[in-house]
Amino acid sequence: MNISEQDKQYMREAIRLADVSVRTGGGPFGAVVVKDGKIVSGSANRVTVDNDPTAHAEVNAIRAACRQLGTFDLSGCTIYTSCEPCPMCLGAIYWAHIDRIFYANDRKDAEEIGFADNFIYEELERPLEQRQKPIVAMLRDEAIQTFRAWQEKTDKTEY
């Protein structure tokens, strides 16, 4: 994939947001969502600022872009993030249907400064019964009724 000067500008904005975050008490991560050549949203990591472990830069930028565009489907958008997305953020990017991902630092760079996500990738590869945290299935017979209701619903909004 070719990297344009405009791509570099968007990435520099993600990096700038990460820099500001470090100076103001947040984590060293920034992200911007772009559509049709314009930045729709940008955010930094606010985990410690907001006391929210899900307040990663990418998730924050996705939430803001969805509000700005009035949709949960960010098809046609690109995300520029100052670091390779963690598993949670990567999942959010896929769920949002973002078309392309550009990143600067990689997960090894993040690990070198204390942000290690490899344990999550490793956990996902293990069978449920071998994971570090117990994952216990229960009440499926009750919960499946909601899935059946969703499946039969004719006026649902698919996502």
Side-chain angles (χ1 to χ4, degrees):
M1 184 178 309
N2 292 332
I3 297 173
S4 70
E5 285 304 312
Q6 196 170 30
D7 290 323
K8 291 176 185 177
Q9 288 177 323
Y10 299 138
M11 183 60 75
R12 287 186 180 109
E13 177 61 11
I15 294 167
R16 185 191 71 76
L17 290 168
D19 288 341
V20 170
S21 182
V22 169
R23 290 194 306 273
T24 57
F29 306 97
V32 296
V33 174
V34 173
K35 184 169 187 171
D36 298 328
K38 295 180 183 169
I39 294 177
V40 175
S41 69
S43 187
N45 178 288
R46 296 189 47 87
V47 170
T48 57
V49 175
D50 293 346
N51 292 317
D52 179 353
T54 69
H56 290 202
E58 297 92 334
V59 171
N60 291 339
I62 288 168
R63 289 173 178 159
C66 288
R67 281 190 303 272
Q68 179 68 26
L69 296 173
T71 182
F72 55 81
D73 185 341
L74 297 180
S75 295
C77 292
T78 299
I79 192 164
Y80 297 81
T81 177
S82 65
C83 188
E84 181 179 356
C86 74
M88 176 184 71
C89 293
L90 189 59
I93 290 165
Y94 275 88
W95 283 119
H97 304 288
I98 292 174
D99 293 352
R100 297 183 309 162
I101 306 164
F102 289 91
Y103 68 90
N105 296 316
D106 64 23
R107 69 173 94 159
K108 290 177 186 173
D109 298 322
E111 188 169 9
E112 287 178 10
I113 63 165
F115 293 92
D117 297 327
N118 281 337
F119 78 96
I120 297 173
Y121 289 105
E122 292 166 3
E123 277 289 287
L124 291 172
E125 291 179 9
R126 290 187 178 111
L128 293 178
E129 64 277 359
Q130 293 178 11
R131 293 190 183 172
Q132 293 178 22
K133 298 190 184 291
I135 301 178
V136 181
M138 60 182 284
L139 299 179
R140 181 182 179 275
D141 290 342
E142 293 178 30
I144 201 71
Q145 299 307 318
T146 306
F147 276 17
R148 288 186 182 129
W150 170 260
Q151 188 176 26
E152 294 169 7
K153 188 172 174 67
T154 58
D155 61 343
K156 63 187 169 211
T157 301
E158 302 270 353
Y159 61 96

